[in-house]
C-alpha cells in the first residue's frame, strides 16, 4: 500500500476516534504542509543516513503529524530545532546510557535518528540503517516496549491496526 493511502487511512481513523468520544476532547490529528525536496535532502544529511523511502514520501506529503497515536508525534523536517527533537535526543541519550540498543541486538555505534516522540519523552521511534545485517529500519522503544519495523509503511499499518503487523522485539 502506498504511503499516501496509509496516511489518509491513519488520519481518518484518528479523526473518527476523536469525534466518536463524547464530549469531543483531546488533540485533533494534525497534518502539515509538505516538506520540499531541499528540506528532505537537508534532513537526510542531518540524519547521516539515507532516509527510508516511505518516511521520505511521508515528509513530501506532510512535514510531520500530531497525534498519529495517542500522545505521539511523527516528526518532520521543521521539527528538528524544537522541543520534540530535544525530547527525542534526551530519550536517545537515556537509551544509550542504559545499553538498551545492545540489549535488543543493535550495534553499540548504530546511528539512531528520531522520527517520533511522545509527549513525555518516554517512547520514541528511531530510524537506523544497517544494510546487509538487519532488515528493519525503524525501532519503537520505551516504557518497556521494543518493536522493530521493516519500513515506514509497516509502521503506519501498525498505527492503523495493531493486529495488521507483528513487529519483532529484538534484532538479535
Amino acid at each position: 500500500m502506498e504511503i499516501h493511502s496509509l496516511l489518509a487511512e491513519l488520519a481518518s481513523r484518528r479523526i473518527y476516534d476523536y469525534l466518536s468520544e463524547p464530549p469531543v476532547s483531546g488533540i485533533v490529528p494534525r497534518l502539515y504542509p509538505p516538506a520540499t525536496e531541499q528540506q528532505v535532502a537537508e534532513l537526510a544529511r542531518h540524519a547521516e543516513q539515507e532516509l527510508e523511502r516511505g518516511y521520505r514520501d511521508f515528509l513530501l506529503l506532510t512535514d510531520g503529524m500530531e497525534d498519529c497515536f495517542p500522545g505521539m508525534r511523527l516528526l518532520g523536517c521543521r521539527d528538528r530545532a524544537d522541543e520534540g527533537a530535544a525530547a527525542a535526543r534526551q530519550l536517545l541519550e537515556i537509551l544509550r546510557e542504559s545499553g538498551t540498543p545492545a540489549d535488543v541486538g543493535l550495534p553499540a555505534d548504530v546511528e539512531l535518528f528520531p522520527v517520533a516522540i511522545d509527549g513525555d519523552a518516554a517512547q520514541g521511534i528511531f530510524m537506523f540503517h544497517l544494510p546487509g545485517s538487519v532488515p528493519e529500519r525503524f525501532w519503537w522503544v520505551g516504557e518497556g516496549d521494543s518493536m522493530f519495523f521493516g519500513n515506514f509503511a509497516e509502521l503506519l499499518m501498525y498505527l492503523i491496526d495493531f493486529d495488521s503487523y507483528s513487529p519483532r522485539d529484538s534484532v538479535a
Side-chain angles (χ1 to χ4, degrees), residues 1-10 54 57-58 61 156:
M1 189 175 272
E2 293 187 34
I3 295 297
H4 72 276
S5 298
L6 290 168
L7 185 58
E9 186 172 342
L10 177 59
D57 291 348
F58 165 79
L61 289 169
L156 291 180

Side-chain angles (χ1 to χ4, degrees), residues 47-65:
E48 299 179 1
Q49 60 182 288
E50 182 180 328
L51 299 182
E52 191 272 335
R53 184 181 60 83
Y55 183 56
R56 184 182 185 289
D57 291 348
F58 165 79
L59 295 171
L60 293 171
L61 289 169
T62 176
D63 190 18
M65 182 180 183

Side-chain angles (χ1 to χ4, degrees), residues 47-52 96 101-102 104-113 126-139 148-150 168 170-172:
E48 299 179 1
Q49 60 182 288
E50 182 180 328
L51 299 182
E52 191 272 335
R96 288 202 184 282
V104 296
L106 290 172
D109 62 346
V110 67
E111 188 64 41
L112 295 168
F113 187 73
F126 298 91
M127 181 179 61
F128 63 93
H129 190 49
L130 296 170
S133 60
V134 176
E136 287 87 1
R137 287 292 313 267
F138 294 92
W139 179 35
F148 287 90
F149 298 87
R168 293 196 302 171
S170 75
V171 294

Side-chain angles (χ1 to χ4, degrees), residues 29-165:
R30 181 173 180 187
L31 302 174
Y32 293 92
T36 65
E37 290 280 352
Q38 180 181 353
Q39 290 170 315
V40 171
E42 288 173 19
L43 184 65
R45 281 191 294 280
H46 179 72
E48 299 179 1
Q49 60 182 288
E50 182 180 328
L51 299 182
E52 191 272 335
R53 184 181 60 83
Y55 183 56
R56 184 182 185 289
D57 291 348
F58 165 79
L59 295 171
L60 293 171
L61 289 169
T62 176
D63 190 18
M65 182 180 183
E66 299 281 341
D67 207 34
C68 61
F69 179 71
M72 186 155 297
R73 172 176 158 198
L74 285 169
L75 301 172
C77 299
R78 62 178 183 67
D79 294 311
R80 295 302 149 196
D82 75 359
E83 67 278 352
R89 286 190 300 272
Q90 178 184 8
L91 175 59
L92 183 54
E93 185 176 313
I94 291 167
L95 292 169
R96 288 202 184 282
E97 287 175 1
S98 69
T100 304
D103 291 345
V104 296
L106 290 172
D109 62 346
V110 67
E111 188 64 41
L112 295 168
F113 187 73
V115 297
I117 190 74
D118 73 349
D120 298 330
Q123 291 188 72
I125 300 171
F126 298 91
M127 181 179 61
F128 63 93
H129 190 49
L130 296 170
S133 60
V134 176
E136 287 87 1
R137 287 292 313 267
F138 294 92
W139 179 35
W140 184 335
V141 62
E143 297 184 346
D145 291 327
S146 177
M147 298 178 278
F148 287 90
F149 298 87
N151 57 50
F152 196 72
E154 291 171 352
L155 176 62
L156 291 180
M157 286 187 288
Y158 185 78
L159 289 171
I160 292 166
D161 177 10
F162 296 137
D163 294 328
S164 68
Y165 183 76

